Amino acid sequence: MKPLFNYVTVGCTLLLCSQLSFAQGIKVPAPSPGQTIKQDFALSSVEVNYSRPAVKGRTIMGDLVPYDKVWRTGANGATTITFGEDVSFGGTPVKAGKYGLLSIPGASQWTIILTKSLDVTNPAAYKPENDVARVKVDAQQLPFSIENFMIVFDNITSSTMQMELIWDKTAVAVKISADIDGKIAADIDAAMKGEKKPYFQAASYYLETNRDLKQALTWMDAALKENPTAFYMYYLKARIQAKAGDKKGAKATAETGIEQAKVAKNDDYVALNQKLIATL
């Protein structure tokens, strides 16, 4: 007769294996689902990885998220942000790379922190000596509640944007900027020495960044000489002329643009040129 403990051991082993198999075979939704957002910005991009806890009827700021304590700025794992190029984060220069994104919420003001630590999930793990940037921003009170915590980018231009942290009835924003003018200007100068000159792109950049409009017009004339049926180029040239104060020239160019757009059966540029003429 076999010892009883052998049967007990075998039975427990089978039960444990059954439970493990059951546990491994089930997947349930995360209570604070993760999100990755990637925003094209300047000459690269900015990417944030974080989790989105929900209000669920709870008091958030000053309670679930205590005031004056380090918060991982999300739920579950650590929140991280990756910059594809050097930026200014709330006025502080930051090198391209990946950082932890932390915050210290307050009733009227928050401190937003970039840290070299990528694994901070509770205040005890925070090390001030690893700070890369600390930015104080005012907290805005919303007239409505946002159920899930969210990080978004808004007010995006070619070299500036805002990163906004929003949850329940509170929102804060940090300005991010990139110094790209010098690099683009150098790239334009270098490209103009090559065989294929980027006349249209260079003129467009000069218009959008309030640079030398006379030079931009010279480039547009060269671009249209190479491609006289490019209806979209006439619209850009008309915009440059209008900004330079040459309303008569802008109107004539826009009218040519309308003719070329009709030939190309592009109603969008017909309308754009018509609206531009109306503003003159």
Side-chain angles (χ1 to χ4, degrees):
M1 185 174 184
K2 294 182 179 180
L4 178 61
F5 73 86
N6 284 346
Y7 294 104
V8 174
T9 301
V10 171
C12 289
T13 300
L14 291 173
L15 178 61
L16 177 60
C17 289
S18 175
Q19 290 174 337
L20 286 173
S21 176
F22 180 78
Q24 291 172 353
I26 289 183
K27 183 176 181 179
V28 297
S32 300
Q35 182 179 61
T36 297
I37 58 170
K38 186 175 184 179
Q39 176 62 57
D40 290 343
F41 174 64
L43 302 179
S44 58
S45 63
V46 178
E47 182 176 303
V48 175
N49 289 276
Y50 73 112
S51 294
R52 304 188 61 192
V55 175
K56 296 181 179 178
R58 300 173 292 184
T59 300
I60 303 302
M61 297 304 162
D63 190 354
L64 182 65
V65 176
Y67 286 144
D68 305 320
K69 289 187 178 181
V70 172
W71 180 41
R72 57 187 162 186
T73 318
N76 303 329
T79 297
T80 61
I81 183 168
T82 304
F83 301 105
E85 63 194 288
D86 295 353
V87 299
S88 171
F89 185 82
T92 300
V94 175
K95 293 292 185 181
K98 186 175 184 178
Y99 303 93
L101 178 61
L102 304 172
S103 56
I104 302 177
S108 60
Q109 191 177 66
W110 286 35
T111 299
I112 310 299
I113 302 169
L114 295 184
T115 173
K116 296 176 184 177
S117 303
L118 303 179
D119 56 356
V120 178
T121 57
N122 64 77
Y126 170 59
K127 297 178 180 179
E129 60 268 27
N130 287 338
D131 285 0
V132 174
R134 288 175 68 95
V135 180
K136 291 188 179 296
V137 294
D138 292 333
Q140 306 292 325
Q141 294 304 306
L142 304 177
F144 49 83
S145 177
I146 299 297
E147 178 65 19
N148 286 87
F149 173 60
M150 62 192 299
I151 298 177
V152 297
F153 296 105
D154 199 11
N155 294 327
I156 303 166
T157 70
S158 60
S159 60
T160 63
M161 67 178 178
Q162 285 187 170
M163 181 183 72
E164 300 176 358
L165 281 58
I166 308 169
W167 197 15
D168 195 14
K169 294 186 177 182
T170 300
V172 297
V174 180
K175 183 178 179 180
I176 300 173
S177 61
D179 185 9
I180 60 174
D181 283 347
K183 185 178 186 308
I184 294 177
D187 288 347
I188 289 173
D189 290 342
M192 288 301 176
K193 296 175 183 177
E195 292 185 5
K196 190 173 179 61
K197 297 174 172 59
Y199 293 125
F200 177 79
Q201 293 88 343
S204 178
Y205 181 73
Y206 267 43
L207 172 64
E208 297 300 335
T209 56
N210 299 310
R211 290 176 176 264
D212 188 347
L213 295 179
K214 185 176 179 180
Q215 178 62 74
L217 283 172
T218 299
W219 283 333
M220 284 311 305
D221 287 338
L224 286 166
K225 185 177 180 179
E226 291 181 349
N227 193 352
T229 62
F231 56 89
Y232 57 91
M233 290 189 183
Y234 287 99
Y235 177 62
L236 178 61
K237 180 180 177 180
R239 288 176 61 206
I240 295 171
Q241 290 172 305
K243 192 168 185 177
D246 182 9
K247 294 184 178 181
K248 183 178 179 180
K251 182 179 179 182
T253 301
E255 288 173 343
T256 303
I258 290 173
E259 294 172 4
Q260 293 295 340
K262 287 181 178 178
V263 172
K265 297 182 180 180
N266 191 299
D267 293 337
D268 289 341
Y269 272 86
V270 171
L272 285 171
N273 280 292
Q274 289 173 338
K275 290 178 181 178
L276 177 59
I277 292 173
T279 67
L280 301 173

